Each structure stands twice: as C-alpha cells, then as structure tokens.
Amino acid sequence: MRRKCAIVAGGAGFVGSHLCRRLLDEGYEVDCIDSLLTGRRDNIDSLDTRGPFRFHHEDVARPIRFDHNADAVFHLASPASPADYLRHPLETLTAGSAGTANTLELAREKGARYILASTSEVYGNPQVHPQPETYWGNVNPVGPRSAYDEAKRFAEALVTAHRATHGTSTAIARVFNTYGPRMRRTDGRAVPAFITQALDGRPLTVTGTGSQTRSLRYVDDLVEGLLALHTSTVPGPLNLGNPEEITVLELARQILRATGSGSPTVFVNRPQDDPDRRCPDITRAREELGWAPKTGLREGLDRTIAWYRAHRRTFSHDAPAWT
Ligand code: NAD
C-alpha cells in the first residue's frame, strides 16, 4: 500500500515543524517546502530519522514544480509574528497572494486536500466578543499590521474562489495565538519574550497596561485541529483557538511563577492597532470536527519553559515583546 504524502509549506517554522513531526509519526511521507525566511533548519534537522522526510529550500511565491504524489497540502508559509511581518511586509503579502495561488495549484494538480493556516488577525481589532466565524472583522487596510491581516484575508478569498471554480477540496483554519517549544526567542511574541526574559533575570516587558487579552493555545492542540481538518471534508473557515482569555499582565505573572524568576515587570509602549481583546468562539470546531484544546495553560507553559531551559545556549538575544 502506498504511504500517504503531505506537503507542508512553511514546515521549518514553529507550527510547521510540529506538524511535520506529527505527520511522520502518523505514517505520512512529508515534503517540507520552506524559504527559511523566518524558519530554521534546526527545527527539522532530526526529522528524517522519524520517517520519509524531504526538505525543499524554495519560496512558495514562485511557481512550484513537484514530482511526488500528495494527499494533503498545508499552507503555513508566511511570517507570523508582528516583528517578522513588520520587517518583511512585501514577502508577507506575496506569501499570502502568490504563495496561496501556487500551493492551491499544487493541490489541484495532485488532487490533494488543501488546508490554509489563516489567522485570528482577519478579525483585526474586533468589535464582537468572542469572535465567531461569521464576524467580518475590523481591519485597518493601511495600518502597520495590514500586510499580514490583508494577505490572510486575500488568501481566504483565493481559497474560496479556487474551491468554487475548480472544486478543490479546501479548508480554512483561523489560527489563534499559539505557543510552545521551538518559537524563536527573537520572534517577539509574548510567550517566548517573557520566558526568555524571566530565565535571563531581565525585566518582563509588558506592552501598555497589560490589560489587553489574548487566548493562548498549546501547539500540539493546534496540530491536532489541523489534522482533524485535513481528514474531514469541512471547508471552514473554522476558528482553532482556546476560548479561555487571559490578560497579557496575568500571562507575565504566570510565567514568573512557573519559572520561579524574580524578574520585575516593566511597562512599554503598546504597538499601533494592537487588538484589545482576542477570544475565539469555537462552537463550529466543536460541532463540525469534535475538536477543542486539551492542554491547560500551566501544563503548556511548563513544557515550553522546559524546552527553553534546555535550549538556552542555542538562541540569540530577544526582541521587544509584541503580542
Ligand atoms: P513561523 O514564522 O515560525 O513559520 C513560518 C514559516 O514559513 C517559516 O519557516 C518561514 O521560513 C516560512 N516562509 C515564509 N514565507 C515563505 C515563502 N514565501 N516560501 C516558503 N516558506 C516561507 O510562523 P508560525 O508561528 O509557525 O506560523 C505558521 C503559520 O500559522 C503562518 O501561516 C501563520 O500566519 C499561522 N498562524 C500562526 C499563529 C501563531 O500563533 N503561531 C497564529 C495565527 C496564524
């Protein structure tokens, strides 16, 4: 019997490397396509010992030639942290536009199921709480975050049009804040920033008053949701996130407790267009996929902190905290 094959665009990144690992453990052959714009070779170095794994150092914004079969195409290739997409706005827009068009074309050619990793950022700074998939969002189209938000909104429109035009089996996952091992400490997101600051004994840089909320979900739960979406016929969009909200200040406090650090907390300027609240309504994911996150925040933080402790020496210094 032929093994199932999955293509993971963006597979050398934080989420992608966890997804590649899980697919190999499920018996898939995995082809990872990544330009290494924000990903790392280290993330995927040992994966070929777990199963048939091939790395293709390519930019998905360029046409992709690919000889193998594929049953699934996961499109995760895009800068994802605000620090990264502010540094690479044009690459972010082409990853969402040309990158989505090329990966969709690949799925059509191979007759594969297509999964787009979209984002909660399509809701912008939401006026509706929690956010259901039927909410259209509140996005500034020319603000600093617009390259990312609009790239993902365009990508969702492209997936929808491709499905309607070519009948490709597609799914849109709206991914909410995710954390876990292998986030770069320099990527600027709150969890890696706070953990590395706490472990280094430096002040934790909370933006604004820290009263803005996020809903954090451990990476293994997201991977579970992406796999459930792949094996279903559900088109989405589906929110994949944790409906438990936490303020950024409370997150800093929990990380101080979990690391046992005596670092102080300092308050720094909040970035423009930073959302006040973020909380998914996951009714659809529960009903259509039977999916909900399982890992509690303390358990997820403990696992993540253990990884950062073990890999402290392999990472350079971090950037200011964005959320
Ligand atoms: P990441 O930056 O760690 O990974 C993205 C990967 O895509 C990197 O390996 C990067 O090198 C690669 N990439 C970027 N542009 C590319 C291109 N043009 N061609 C090929 N490879 C390219 O980010 P992540 O946190 O792992 O996010 C993965 C996906 O999930 C992204 O699409 C992101 O928008 C989405 N997402 C993530 C989160 C989160 O909290 N991590 C939240 C919402 C959505």
Side-chain angles (χ1 to χ4, degrees), residues 9-16 33-40 43 58-61 75-81 84 91 94-95 99 117-121 148 152 174-179 182-184 187 189 217 222:
F14 157 53
V15 176
I33 304 177
D34 202 299
S35 63
L36 300 181
L37 179 67
T38 57
R40 296 160 45 96
N43 285 343
E58 281 181 48
D59 183 341
V60 292
H75 179 26
L76 281 71
S78 168
S81 88
D84 286 337
E91 292 88 342
T94 51
S118 183
T119 172
S120 55
E121 300 279 345
Y148 183 65
K152 291 290 186 180
R174 289 190 180 149
V175 177
F176 281 66
N177 288 61
T178 308
Y179 70 95
R182 294 203 286 281
M183 291 180 95
R184 290 177 358 261
D187 97 359
R189 286 179 275 194
R217 177 260 327 275
L222 170 60

Side-chain angles (χ1 to χ4, degrees), residues 8-316:
V8 182
F14 157 53
V15 176
S17 59
H18 286 271
L19 178 62
C20 288
R21 177 179 293 243
R22 178 66 196 277
L23 285 162
L24 289 167
D25 293 350
E26 294 283 324
Y28 281 75
E29 272 184 37
V30 176
D31 286 279
C32 163
I33 304 177
D34 202 299
S35 63
L36 300 181
L37 179 67
T38 57
R40 296 160 45 96
R41 270 311 292 249
D42 296 9
N43 285 343
I44 51 171
D45 259 356
S46 58
L47 286 187
D48 56 359
T49 60
R50 297 177 94 95
F53 178 80
R54 293 177 285 268
F55 173 63
H56 310 267
H57 189 187
E58 281 181 48
D59 183 341
V60 292
R62 304 220 175 99
I64 307 162
R65 282 181 55 85
F66 197 81
D67 296 332
H68 302 283
N69 293 319
D71 302 281
V73 175
F74 293 88
H75 179 26
L76 281 71
S78 168
S81 88
D84 286 337
Y85 60 71
L86 290 171
R87 212 171 15 243
H88 301 291
L90 296 178
E91 292 88 342
T92 303
L93 282 159
T94 51
S97 52
T100 304
N102 290 332
T103 49
L104 274 167
E105 192 46 35
L106 193 58
R108 190 183 67 80
E109 192 186 302
K110 305 290 178 190
R113 171 101 166 131
Y114 183 88
I115 314 293
L116 172 72
S118 183
T119 172
S120 55
E121 300 279 345
V122 299
Y123 301 123
N125 190 0
Q127 311 289 299
V128 170
H129 303 284
Q131 294 91 53
E133 291 85 349
T134 47
Y135 177 53
W136 292 350
N138 175 38
V139 173
N140 176 354
V142 291
R145 301 170 85 105
S146 63
Y148 183 65
D149 301 5
E150 298 294 8
K152 291 290 186 180
R153 288 168 72 97
F154 180 82
E156 289 198 8
L158 204 49
V159 167
T160 306
H162 207 275
R163 182 183 183 90
T165 307
H166 298 297
T168 317
S169 173
T170 61
I172 296 169
R174 289 190 180 149
V175 177
F176 281 66
N177 288 61
T178 308
Y179 70 95
R182 294 203 286 281
M183 291 180 95
R184 290 177 358 261
R185 56 182 282 165
T186 50
D187 97 359
R189 286 179 275 194
V191 170
F194 289 163
I195 291 177
T196 52
Q197 287 166 341
L199 293 180
D200 292 350
R202 287 176 297 119
L204 271 64
T205 48
V206 171
T207 55
T209 60
S211 59
Q212 66 276 22
T213 68
R214 295 297 179 266
S215 305
L216 296 165
R217 177 260 327 275
Y218 190 65
V219 64
D220 287 359
D221 289 333
L222 170 60
V223 167
E224 199 66 43
L226 292 173
L227 284 184
L229 206 44
H230 158 53
T231 52
S232 77
T233 54
V234 169
L238 280 190
N239 287 337
L240 295 181
N242 183 355
E244 280 176 30
E245 244 175 311
I246 181 171
T247 67
V248 171
L249 184 58
E250 179 54 25
L251 174 66
R253 290 190 180 129
Q254 291 217 17
I255 288 176
L256 286 173
R257 276 198 291 277
T259 52
S261 167
S263 287
T265 300
V266 296
F267 296 89
V268 297
N269 285 341
R270 203 161 149 210
Q272 188 190 329
D273 295 341
D274 187 44
D276 298 326
R277 292 185 73 185
R278 249 323 143 56
C279 182
D281 177 338
I282 62 164
T283 310
R284 241 192 222 183
R286 280 187 206 277
E287 287 177 1
E288 296 185 17
L289 286 186
W291 177 89
K294 295 187 191 120
T295 314
L297 184 61
R298 181 59 201 249
E299 183 188 348
L301 285 178
D302 284 347
R303 286 194 217 164
T304 309
I305 290 164
W307 186 87
Y308 279 90
R309 283 194 204 278
H311 293 84
R312 264 173 102 170
R313 303 276 163 250
T314 50
F315 288 84
S316 57

